[in-house]
Amino acid sequence: MIDDIRVGALIAYSNVKRGNKKTLMFIVFVLSLIFMNLVFLPSMIGGVSGLMTGFMQDYPYGDVVIEPTGDNIYINNADNVLKKVRAVEGVRAATKRLDVGASIGHKQKVVGVTITGLLPTEEYDISRYPHVITEGDFLSDLSRNEIIIGAMIAGTGFGSEIYDNLGEVRPGSFVDVTYSNGVKRTYKVKGIMTGTFEVVDLNALVHYKEIEDVYGLEGKEATSVVVRVDKQGTEAQIQDKIREAGVNEEIFTWADKSESLLRQAMQSIGAIDTMSTIVSLIVGAALVLIIIYINVLNRKKEIGILKAVGITPNSIVLSYAFLSMFYVSMGILAGLVLYFTLMIYFQANPVSFYETMEIAPEIDPVLLIQSILTMLIISVIAGILPAWSVSRESILKAIWGR
Amino acid sequence: MITVKDLKRYYGTGDMAVKALKGVSFEIKKGEFVAIMGASGSGKTTLLRILALLDDATGGEYTIRGLDVSSLPEAERSYYRLTQVGYVFQDYALINEMSAAENVYILSMMEGKSKKESYRTALEALAKVGLEGKHDRIPDELSGGEKQRVAIARAIAKKPDIMFADEPCANLDTVNSKQVLDVFKELNEKYAQTIVMVTHEPWHTEYVDRVITFQDGRLLSDEKMTKAGSEHHEE
C-alpha cells in the first residue's frame, strides 16, 4: 500500500508539475466558484440572522429579559427583581419597562401602536433607543407629556407607505394618545427614532412614570426587566444565576426570544439556504466529477501504459485521488481568497435590504470548515470513481481502444 | 525459457470470429534474441501481447521459466509484468508529464525500492542506452530514437528475464533504428538478455539469433541466423 501511495503521488506530482497550466488554472477557477457558491449565500443569510438577532438585543430584549409568569400582566415586584438582578455577578445593567397598547392620533389620522414606558437615563446602558433619534432629542428624566415616535408611524421613514402613519409628524408636533384603558393624553413629540427595524420604528416611547400614571400603578410594576451582561456568550449562565438569586418570573435569553420571534422567518431563509447548499453540493460534485472524468478519459491511454508496465490499479486510482484533491485544495484556496475579498468588501459596503437595513455578511468558521471538508470528500470520490472505472478496463482497450 | 503450445487467440465467436492465432507452438531459450516476422495481420503482435501478459489467449498453453503464466490472477499478472517482463512499445508509450528518469524509476518505486535507489537504477539504465545527461528531459524534448531508448531503459531497469519489443523501430529512421538495435544487441550479448522482437524489416534480422515467421496466424518458418546465413526449419 505504501508503494501504491508513493507511486500514486509521483504520478500526480508529475501531472501537476508538467501538465497544462492553463487547464489547471481553469479547473482551479471553476472549483473556486463552486466553493464560493457553497459559502457565500450562507454568509449573507448569517448576516441577516445576525442583524435580526442584534436588533432583538439592542431594543426589546437586551441580553436577558424577565417577564411576568403565567397570565400575569405585570411583574409586581419589579424593583425587588431589579435589585436581585443587579446584584448578580456578570450583569452590567438592568432596567424595567412597561409596554402597553395605545392609539396615536394626529390631525385626522390614527395609528395603533405599542408604547413603551422606560426610564430614559437607564436606557443609555441598556438599549440603542437613545442613539437612534434622527430628529429632535431623546427623553430625559424630567420628560412628561413628551413622546418619541418611530419613523414609520411618524410618516417620515421607510415603510411609511406600507403602514398607517400620522403623516409627517415632526418634533414639536402634538399627538393625541388613547391608551388601552381609555385614558387620553396629549403629548408633544420630542423626537423621531429611526432604528431601521419595525419593532423600533412602529413603536413609541414615553417616560415610565407616564404609564404608571395612566394605569394607576404604584411604582413597582413592569412588563419586563431588561438585563445586559458584561460578556457576550454568558447569557445562559446569567439566566441561571438570576434564577438562583431568587427571581421567580419567566427568564429568557435574547436567543430564546429571538428564536421564537424570528423562527418562522429564519426557518424560511434556512430552508432556502439548505436547498441552495444541497444544489451547490450536487452541482459542485458533478462539476468536480466531470472535470476529473474528462481528465481521466484524456489519459486513458496513459493509464493503460502504466498498467502494461506493471503499475498497480491502486496506484493509478490513488494518483487521481491525489490529483483531484490537489485541484480542489487549490480551488478552495482560490475560493477563500475570493470569499474573504468579497467579505471585506461587503462588510465595508453592506447590502441594503428593505431600504433601511444594511446587511453585512457574517463569516462563520464552522461553515467554512464544513464546506472545505465537504469539497475535499467530494474531490476524493470524484477522483477515485472515474479512475477506478478506467483502471479496471483491459490494457488493450485502455491503450488501443479495443 | 518460453514454451508456447498450440496457442490460439480468437476475437469474437462463431463464424464471425477473427482467428488471429490458430494454434502455434515453439520454444525460446534463455539469452536468445528472436525476431518475429510476418505480414500485417499474421498474428505476431497478438502473440507478443499474450506472452507479455497484456492480453489473454483463447486456447493453448504458454509458460515462462516453467510457470504457467496464463492462469495467473490479475494482481499476479501485474506483478509479473512489473518484475519479470519488459515491454517496448512501437510508439514508445512514455508518460509525457514525466522526465526520462521518472519514466524509468517509477517501476523501481513500484517494486518498493527507495526513491534514491530507484533514481540511481534509472540513471544506470539510461546510461546503458546512451542517454547520459538527458534524464531530466521530458519525452517532448527527445527525438524519436531517444524516446525509444528511454522506453528500452524503462524495460531493462528492472532487469527482466525477458524483453518483448513490438516493432520498436517502426517510427524511427534508419540511423535511430540502428541505435536502438545496437542497444538490443549489446543487452543481448553483454547481459544475456532474452529479447523477442516483432519487426517488418528484413535488415533487422542481421542483429538477431533467430527469426520466427508467421503467416495467417500460423508459424510459417523458424530460422536460426548465423554469420554465414540462416538455418531454415520449416514448420
Side-chain angles (χ1 to χ4, degrees), chain A residues 47-67:
Chain A
V48 175
S49 169
L51 186 74
M52 295 292 187
T53 49
F55 278 135
M56 294 299 179
Q57 278 179 287
D58 286 340
Y59 299 104
Y61 300 124
D63 298 319
V64 174
V65 65
I66 300 164
E67 293 182 347

Side-chain angles (χ1 to χ4, degrees), chain B residues 219-222 232-235:
Chain B
L219 202 151
L220 180 68
S221 65
D222 187 346
H232 200 136
H233 301 276
E234 288 286 341
E235 260 291 285

Side-chain angles (χ1 to χ4, degrees), chain A residues 222-259:
Chain A
T223 51
S224 65
V225 167
V226 181
V227 182
R228 297 309 294 249
V229 297
D230 279 329
K231 200 175 162 190
Q232 289 296 306
T234 59
E235 294 84 354
Q237 295 161 29
I238 300 295
Q239 182 185 27
D240 292 339
K241 283 185 184 175
I242 291 172
R243 205 170 278 130
E244 283 163 18
V247 174
N248 297 318
E249 309 295 331
E250 298 278 10
I251 307 168
F252 304 98
T253 64
W254 65 269
D256 299 333
K257 295 300 285 186
S258 300
E259 197 193 351

Side-chain angles (χ1 to χ4, degrees), chain B residues 35-87:
Chain B
I36 311 253
M37 299 191 73
S40 290
S42 59
K44 52 192 190 302
T45 294
T46 302
L47 170 78
L48 207 68
R49 287 175 183 168
I50 291 170
L51 294 181
L53 306 185
L54 302 182
D55 195 8
D56 296 310
T58 309
E61 289 174 21
Y62 53 107
T63 60
I64 297 177
R65 289 202 307 185
L67 176 70
D68 181 5
V69 289
S70 59
S71 59
L72 290 176
E74 180 49 37
E76 286 181 38
R77 287 163 75 92
S78 177
Y79 185 71
Y80 206 82
R81 282 194 296 270
L82 176 69
T83 57
Q84 309 293 317
V85 171
Y87 196 95

Side-chain angles (χ1 to χ4, degrees), chain A residues 3-4 6-7 10-11 13-15 17-20 299 301-313 315 395-396 399-400 402, chain B residues 11 49 53-55 74 78 81-82 89 91 93-99 102 105-115 138 154 158:
Chain A
D3 295 330
D4 289 337
R6 287 192 322 148
V7 170
L10 174 66
I11 298 169
Y13 168 75
S14 52
N15 232 314
K17 189 180 170 190
R18 301 198 187 86
N20 189 319
R299 296 174 187 278
K301 185 177 179 185
E302 192 176 281
I303 291 174
I305 292 166
L306 288 168
K307 274 185 75 178
V309 296
I311 303 299
T312 60
S315 298
I395 292 170
L396 296 187
I399 300 179
W400 293 288
R402 60 193 156 86
Chain B
Y11 295 102
R49 287 175 183 168
L53 306 185
L54 302 182
D55 195 8
E74 180 49 37
S78 177
R81 282 194 296 270
L82 176 69
F89 295 80
D91 58 355
L94 298 174
I95 307 301
N96 287 326
E97 286 82 15
M98 287 184 174
S99 67
E102 285 169 344
Y105 78 62
I106 189 174
L107 300 187
S108 303
M109 281 180 72
M110 191 77 256
E111 283 183 85
K113 290 179 186 162
S114 69
K115 190 177 173 184
I138 57 168
R154 178 176 63 188
K158 55 193 176 186

Side-chain angles (χ1 to χ4, degrees), chain B residues 124-150:
Chain B
E124 280 172 15
L126 288 167
K128 256 185 203 171
V129 296
L131 288 176
E132 298 97 333
K134 295 193 175 176
H135 57 277
D136 275 342
R137 297 200 185 171
I138 57 168
D140 282 350
E141 296 166 348
L142 297 169
S143 69
E146 287 172 331
K147 283 182 202 174
Q148 197 57 290
R149 280 188 279 157
V150 174

Side-chain angles (χ1 to χ4, degrees), chain A residues 13-77:
Chain A
Y13 168 75
S14 52
N15 232 314
V16 171
K17 189 180 170 190
R18 301 198 187 86
N20 189 319
K21 297 291 182 290
K22 280 182 188 166
T23 309
L24 173 68
M25 282 174 68
F26 176 72
I27 291 172
V28 168
F29 175 68
V30 171
L31 290 171
S32 71
L33 293 183
I34 294 168
F35 180 75
M36 270 289 295
N37 196 29
L38 271 181
V39 292
F40 188 70
L41 184 61
S43 294
M44 292 303 287
I45 289 171
V48 175
S49 169
L51 186 74
M52 295 292 187
T53 49
F55 278 135
M56 294 299 179
Q57 278 179 287
D58 286 340
Y59 299 104
Y61 300 124
D63 298 319
V64 174
V65 65
I66 300 164
E67 293 182 347
T69 49
D71 293 333
N72 294 336
I73 298 169
Y74 303 113
I75 300 167
N76 289 319
N77 52 353

